[in-house]
């Protein structure tokens, strides 16, 4: 007889069986959303996935739902990455969704519009946030598939246009369930390394479903936080992704991104040649001008010898010397005349001229002039006359009437 087991044991067994199946642990499931419920308190999403014949309950926990850039709606066709298990408490067979992608044009457009509107409202598309590209990059980081055509296109353009730049490749998957995480991590790694002067995120053409990974919110936020200038080059010119809005510059193709990121070496060579030509022309024009000025100076200098240049100054100097000599002679004559007048006046006032007329000067023995009134009897004196001196002794001092009157006046 078969063993009897409880309901909980049955549910545990079924759950263990489902969890142990490798096929059911990582499954891509397509279906239509129905009965969608966004649990406000927990943040979990509950809904049903169904097709034309069957349905299955699905749950997406808050941490996975927050990473999704849009909110599913009833009737939206989606593809979910999930695992299949059993909720033991109720015995409910359900899928646990890790990621969710819109399936079909209408669903994809709705999800795209929702995410674009939310990120735009947050300011991730603002023009003032966009950074200019470097004029002459030395290292160009490229986030793309290591085996894709986009990488080869970029290499071809760089080798032709600006071979001085070094390509730093961050190889990633550009489509599939794990591609968004790889791309965002590669952008962050290149940016944090500080090695790249500019980063190109590239992928070749494909369907809208193939390019949907570049609408992932994680990539958008990493691109917005990137300090290195970033170029989005996804698909063709008609393909537009969320990354195109966030990036500092959008290129229609990977080849165009390589052209926008680098200068054209031929154009730069032409610029250098033009500058060199202008320098040479300027130097020749300056040399010709100097030669012309030198020839004119030599011609002018030949007309004036040293003697010709000095002659006017010599004549002027001779004239000034003549004037100076005349003025000096005239001044000398005036001074001689003034000196003769002064000498005649001095001679007329000299006491020695009086001696020539028979007068004498009374001096003491020491040679000092003394007045007669100061003489005393018996005092030796010296009489200085014209041509001879005489030593005398005073016998008597006789006071004259004039002296008496003078004394009376003084009294």
């Amino acid at each position: 007889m078969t063993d009897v087991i409880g309901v909980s044991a049955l549910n545990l067994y079924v759950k263990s069986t489902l969890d142990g199946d490798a096929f059911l642990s990582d499954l891509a499931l397509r279906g239509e959303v129905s009965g969608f419920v966004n649990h406000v308190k927990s943040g979990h999403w509950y809904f049903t996935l169904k097709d034309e014949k069957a349905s299955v309950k699905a749950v997406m926990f808050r941490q996975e739902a927050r990473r999704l850039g849009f909110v599913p709606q009833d009737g939206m066709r989606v593809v979910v990455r999930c695992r299949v298990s059993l909720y033991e408490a109720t015995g409910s067979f359900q899928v646990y969704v890790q990621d969710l992608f819109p399936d079909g044009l209408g669903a994809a457009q709705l999800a795209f519009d929702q995410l674009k509107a939310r990120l735009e409202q947050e300011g991730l598309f603002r023009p003032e946030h966009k950074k200019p590209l470097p004029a002459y990059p030395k290292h160009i980081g490229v986030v793309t598939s290591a085996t894709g055509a986009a990488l080869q296109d970029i290499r071809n353009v760089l080798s032709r246009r600006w071979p001085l730049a070094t390509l730093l490749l961050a190889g990633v998957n550009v489509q599939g369930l794990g591609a968004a995480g790889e791309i965002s991590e590669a952008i962050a790694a290149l940016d944090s390394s500080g090695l790249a002067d500019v980063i190109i995120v590239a992928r070749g053409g494909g369907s809208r479903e193939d390019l949907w990974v570049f609408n992932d919110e994680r990539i958008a936020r990493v691109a917005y936080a990137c300090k290195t200038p970033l170029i989005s080059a996804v698909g063709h010119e008609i393909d537009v992704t969320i990354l195109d809005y966030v990036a500092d510059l959008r290129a229609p193709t990977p080849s165009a991104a390589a052209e926008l990121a680098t200068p054209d070496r031929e154009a730069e060579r032409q610029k250098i040649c033009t500058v060199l030509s202008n320098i040479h022309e300027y130097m020749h024009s300056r040399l010709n001008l100097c030669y012309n000025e030198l020839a004119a100076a030599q011609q002018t200098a030949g007309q004036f010898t040293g003697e010709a240049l000095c002659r006017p100054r010599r004549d002027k100097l001779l004239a000034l010397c003549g004037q100076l000599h005349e003025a000096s002679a005239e001044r000398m004559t005036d001074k001689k005349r003034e000196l003769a007048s002064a000498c005649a006046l001095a001679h007329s006032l000299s006491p020695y001229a009086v001696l020539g007329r028979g007068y004498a000067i009374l001096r003491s023995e020491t040679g000092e002039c003394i007045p007669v009134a100061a003489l005393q009897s018996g005092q030796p004196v010296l009489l200085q006359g014209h041509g001879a001196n005489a030593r005398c002794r005073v016998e008597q001092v006789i006071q004259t009437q004039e002296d008496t009157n003078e004394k009376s006046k003084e009294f």
Side-chain angles (χ1 to χ4, degrees), residues 199-229:
I199 297 174
I200 299 175
V201 181
R203 189 202 189 284
S207 65
R208 184 162 188 172
E209 291 76 12
D210 294 335
L211 304 180
W212 182 258
V213 64
F214 295 96
N215 294 322
D216 193 280
E217 184 175 356
R218 289 170 290 176
I219 298 178
R221 295 197 178 277
V222 169
Y224 180 77
C226 185
K227 297 180 175 60
T228 307

Side-chain angles (χ1 to χ4, degrees), residues 38-52:
N38 184 355
H39 199 280
V40 178
K41 292 184 178 180
S42 65
H44 305 326
W45 292 353
Y46 302 94
F47 55 93
T48 300
L49 280 177
K50 65 179 182 179
D51 58 15
E52 293 82 0

Side-chain angles (χ1 to χ4, degrees), residues 29-35 47-58 74-78 95:
L29 187 65
R30 175 182 283 112
E32 181 181 307
V33 176
S34 176
F47 55 93
T48 300
L49 280 177
K50 65 179 182 179
D51 58 15
E52 293 82 0
K53 298 180 179 180
S55 65
V56 63
K57 292 186 178 297
D74 289 345
M76 178 183 291
R77 293 185 58 81
V78 296
V95 295

Side-chain angles (χ1 to χ4, degrees), residues 257-310:
E259 293 184 359
L260 292 171
T262 57
D264 185 1
R265 65 173 176 176
E266 182 61 27
E268 296 300 318
R269 189 185 70 82
Q270 290 294 336
K271 291 179 183 178
I272 295 174
C273 291
T274 301
V275 171
L276 290 176
S277 177
N278 293 338
I279 292 174
H280 290 156
E281 291 180 3
Y282 178 76
M283 291 177 63
H284 283 303
S285 63
R286 291 293 299 170
L287 286 174
N288 291 334
L289 181 61
C290 292
Y291 286 144
N292 294 336
E293 292 178 352
L294 178 60
Q298 289 176 341
Q299 184 177 2
T300 303
Q303 300 175 359
F304 299 96
T305 62
E307 181 181 359
L309 292 173
C310 292

